[in-house]
Amino acid sequence: MARTITILDEAQRREFDRPPKFTYQQRKFFFTLPTWANAIRRDLLTAHTQLGFILQVGYFKTTGRFFTPRHYPTADVDYVRKRWRLTGADLERYDGATIGRHRLVILTNFSITPFDEGQRERVVEQAAVYARRQMNPAAVFRSTADYVRSHHIEIPTYAALAGVVTQAFRQVETQMADQLRQ
């Protein structure tokens, strides 16, 4: 497939793919675990897995998305360490396999469907509906993200969602060219 169309500028892309910036009050709210998550946290054996899990739950609760731990704001990491008494917890030890397991547990408990190939096709169809309305790419991107969230589908990365929007615009373009030829 050819290159993805430019939808958001570099700063907007970075903002989309990074965790939100919380105030102290927001940290208190979003890093308070639901009952099911607290039960899981207690069963985790190491402080770094607890730290990563709590941060993932908080960010997912806020945005419906998962983020790379290296992008977690230091203020959030420090707050969770202190609030949950996770002295010495090193987020660098929160490995990919554990992140993946936690992702599935979080999706299941929030009743969210993973963004996979089956969901991708469904989302492309909806993005094409938005594109047919001749909305600009950024508006189609935002509407598609809203659609994904409202249909309880995991919100993917910028690159994945931009790929969906690009595919939708190409489908619409092909359909329009076919209509003109006829």
Side-chain angles (χ1 to χ4, degrees):
M1 179 183 203
R3 197 169 83 74
T4 302
I5 60 176
T6 301
I7 298 171
L8 302 178
D9 65 35
E10 186 62 35
Q12 292 169 321
R13 279 183 240 153
R14 248 191 328 273
E15 183 179 337
F16 187 83
D17 279 334
R18 301 251 167 113
K21 295 185 183 343
F22 290 143
T23 64
Y24 180 78
Q25 289 302 323
Q26 289 170 322
R27 280 186 199 99
K28 283 175 64 175
F29 177 76
F30 289 114
F31 296 124
T32 297
L33 295 177
T35 305
W36 65 263
N38 200 33
I40 291 169
R41 180 202 56 84
R42 277 189 303 251
D43 289 340
L44 298 174
L45 301 177
T46 63
H48 62 271
T49 57
Q50 288 184 38
L51 176 63
F53 180 75
I54 294 165
L55 289 161
Q56 279 202 77
V57 169
Y59 293 135
F60 191 83
K61 189 166 46 167
T62 309
T63 65
R65 301 200 46 236
F66 293 99
F67 301 96
T68 306
R70 74 176 180 275
H71 295 244
Y72 293 170
T74 304
D76 294 347
V77 175
D78 291 344
Y79 173 83
V80 170
R81 273 190 193 120
K82 183 177 178 183
R83 158 70 177 85
W84 294 94
R85 295 182 188 105
L86 300 172
T87 309
D90 181 7
L91 202 53
E92 300 226 352
R93 295 184 60 205
Y94 187 49
D95 64 86
T98 304
I99 291 169
R101 283 192 307 278
H102 289 174
R103 177 182 164 268
L104 292 176
V105 166
I106 292 166
L107 287 170
T108 300
N109 282 281
F110 277 112
S111 301
I112 302 294
T113 305
F115 186 80
D116 57 17
E117 276 307 307
Q119 293 303 325
R120 186 181 195 287
E121 291 309 311
R122 176 180 166 194
V123 174
V124 167
E125 288 175 24
Q126 186 60 42
V129 169
Y130 299 137
R132 276 187 212 97
R133 294 180 185 159
Q134 298 185 12
M135 295 183 356
N136 69 41
V140 172
F141 181 88
R142 287 184 184 88
S143 294
T144 303
D146 290 343
Y147 170 84
V148 166
R149 179 125 192 187
S150 69
H151 285 79
H152 303 279
I153 302 168
E154 171 190 11
I155 299 173
T157 62
Y158 168 80
L161 204 52
V164 163
V165 171
T166 297
Q167 185 178 348
F169 271 104
R170 290 201 174 119
Q171 282 180 3
V172 170
E173 182 180 38
T174 300
Q175 290 168 351
M176 292 171 81
D178 290 346
Q179 286 176 343
L180 286 173
R181 273 193 292 275
Q182 291 175 3

